[in-house]
Amino acid sequence: MKAVVYHGPGKVAVEELPQPRLAGPRDAIVKVHRTALCGTDLHPYRGETPSFESGTVLGHEFAGTVAEAGPLVPFAPGQRVFASDIVACGSCASCAHGMHYQCVSVGLFGSSTLVGPAIAGGQAEYVRVPFADVVLCATPDGVSDEQALFVGDVLSTAYAAVMGARVRPGDVVAVVGAGPVGVLAAACARLAGAAEVVLADSDAGRRAGFTGPGRIVAPTQLAHVTAELTGGWGAHAVIEAVGTPAALSTAVGAAAPRATIAAVGVHHADASFPAGTAFARELTVRFVVGDPIDIREPVLALLRHKRLDPSELISHRLPLSAAADAYDLFDRREAFKVVLAPSEA
């Protein structure tokens, strides 16, 4: 089979690899129809995760059909499915409490050993899915493979951010970062009843081409704009969707007293934090990892009832063979969201 393989910063290649096999009764092999590039994939590509192993098959957003299934997997060959990016056993104490990212057997597709043991990713023609009875979900009729793969990570992360920030009807919501997670968080905030949504992004080109929900400003303007909208208070809820100390500081600066900040950007390093400001304003700061296993049903309901369509964010649809070009476009921000097609449904 063909798969996208990481070979160091700035180096990915489509290679011929052995097709994966079932390794246990809870495994499934999925034939991938659509797989996407995520901002998290850029961290190793940019050399920001030096422990990332060369030879890793990349990708944690994918949908397709079951090719093979172990005896404990409740999906038949040919059934349409999509995967959670998080791999979890579903039976430990953490999973029982709905905390799948804290699972004793946690993993993340295509992420080397950054989160648990290495699991080959979904930017491939076929992928082995451990704990498939938990990790996979049936794709409903009327939901496309492209839409479903968003539920496996980006849309569920955005939805979790809105819940984590405790967005209420009538709120002014600030979103730091106008990538796919930020834009989808803004859309979910509107569905939750937000009166105004203000996004901030440091990329002038992204701001100039913005057509999403709400308005967009530079990060240096966010605190001023949210204060202006609230009579000087600031945003009632804030979502940080970048994963840098600067973004988190921007979020704190825009927050109203006793606001909640949900940080869903992937933070890799400890850094300074404006604790004085956060204390003075009595802020709640929560770090949130989107958990598709726990919340995919309400997220799928948004798609089934056509409340939003995440596939509208796709800027490029390319064959799997063009993966190297896709990563280059994505890294240079010439692509907003790239979906690769290893095979047709």
Side-chain angles (χ1 to χ4, degrees):
M1 70 163 191
K2 292 180 171 58
V4 181
V5 182
Y6 172 81
H7 287 294
K11 299 177 182 177
V12 298
V14 178
E15 299 180 2
E16 193 71 34
L17 298 177
Q19 186 170 320
R21 297 177 177 271
L22 298 176
R26 298 177 67 188
D27 280 4
I29 306 299
V30 171
K31 181 179 181 180
V32 180
H33 297 158
R34 295 292 184 272
T35 181
L37 274 62
C38 176
T40 305
D41 296 326
L42 288 180
H43 292 302
Y45 188 79
R46 291 172 173 168
E48 296 167 355
T49 50
S51 63
F52 204 93
E53 295 178 353
S54 179
T56 297
V57 177
L58 296 168
H60 55 266
E61 299 178 353
F62 59 92
T65 53
V66 174
E68 297 179 68
L72 299 182
V73 176
F75 299 104
Q79 188 168 359
R80 294 176 63 229
V81 293
F82 66 91
S84 161
D85 60 334
I86 296 170
V87 173
C89 73
S91 57
C92 69
S94 293
C95 288
H97 286 85
M99 300 186 298
H100 299 95
Y101 193 67
Q102 308 305 323
C103 174
V104 295
S105 302
V106 70
L108 189 69
F109 288 103
S111 298
S112 184
T113 55
L114 297 182
V115 181
I119 303 170
Q123 291 173 10
E125 291 181 314
Y126 292 88
V127 59
R128 182 181 72 89
V129 178
F131 306 121
D133 53 315
V134 174
V135 175
L136 291 181
C137 181
T139 303
D141 292 341
V143 174
S144 70
D145 292 330
E146 286 185 346
Q147 292 172 323
L149 66 81
F150 279 87
V151 183
D153 179 16
V154 178
L155 179 54
S156 291
T157 298
Y159 184 90
V162 170
M163 292 196 301
R166 298 172 182 164
V167 176
R168 299 167 298 180
D171 278 354
V172 170
V173 178
V175 179
V176 183
V181 171
V183 172
L184 288 172
C188 290
R190 278 290 178 83
L191 291 176
E196 295 275 359
V197 181
V198 184
L199 295 95
D201 200 280
S202 59
D203 188 281
R206 182 173 283 178
R207 294 197 304 271
F210 181 75
T211 58
R215 68 176 80 178
I216 190 166
V217 300
T220 53
Q221 299 174 304
L222 185 62
H224 172 74
V225 172
T226 53
E228 191 176 61
L229 290 170
T230 56
W233 281 79
H236 304 112
V238 185
I239 295 164
E240 185 272 297
V242 179
T244 64
L248 195 53
S249 293
T250 298
V252 170
R258 295 197 175 181
T260 297
I261 298 171
V264 293
V266 179
H267 288 262
H268 286 289
D270 296 330
S272 60
F273 175 76
T277 301
F279 176 81
R281 295 185 187 171
E282 299 182 88
L283 302 181
T284 297
V285 181
R286 304 181 62 186
F287 289 86
V288 178
V289 175
D291 185 348
I293 296 170
D294 188 46
I295 63 174
R296 59 196 173 198
E297 290 305 326
V299 175
L300 276 172
L302 297 177
L303 302 186
R304 290 199 310 270
H305 294 285
K306 303 188 185 306
R307 300 300 305 277
L308 56 76
D309 181 3
S311 67
E312 293 176 351
L313 300 187
I314 299 171
S315 61
H316 292 70
R317 293 174 171 88
L318 299 171
L320 188 72
S321 59
D325 291 336
Y327 270 87
D328 181 56
L329 288 168
F330 197 37
D331 181 43
R332 290 189 282 115
R333 290 197 170 188
E334 293 182 18
F336 189 74
K337 185 67 175 180
V338 183
V339 170
L340 302 175
S343 61
E344 294 298 328

